[in-house]
Amino acid sequence: DVQLVESGGGSVQAGGSLRLSCGGSGSSYSTYCMGWFRQAPGKEREGVAHLDTDGTVSYADSVKGRFTISQDNAKNTLYLQMSSLKPEDTAMYYCAAVSLCFGVRTEDYEYDYWGQGTQVTVS
């Protein structure tokens, strides 16, 4: 099992940057597929960026070229570097993990472990 804790959210002006972190305890992240999701008020949760165990990444079209997902296995930490932020990026951001995965997982139902979320507000 893994326990996930997000940090790094906050308020930023449009065009700014933030880096979210997802750290925690438990099994090594290197054996899990990891992902970032977000949910804005009144909207469904959506996938943002995903990473499988061999380093393959996938991004939602809305964030391609602006967001970068990465992982530091030594620190057991997942990151989401967000640049050129837009007001429509405002949401609660969650990290998620699933073990025994094969290939990038992009749907929330495919993930077993979730953090509590960190709020990102872009004005």
Side-chain angles (χ1 to χ4, degrees), residues 49-94:
H50 309 91
L51 179 68
D52 76 358
T53 54
D54 70 3
T56 301
V57 300
S58 174
Y59 296 97
D61 288 342
S62 59
V63 306
K64 281 181 181 176
R66 300 189 299 121
F67 290 11
T68 302
I69 187 172
S70 63
Q71 183 168 292
D72 186 332
N73 290 330
K75 296 182 178 179
N76 233 28
T77 302
L78 180 74
Y79 300 101
L80 184 68
Q81 178 67 49
M82 305 185 295
S83 303
S84 302
L85 283 161
K86 305 175 181 180
E88 51 264 44
D89 294 318
T90 295
M92 185 71 78
Y93 283 72
Y94 300 90

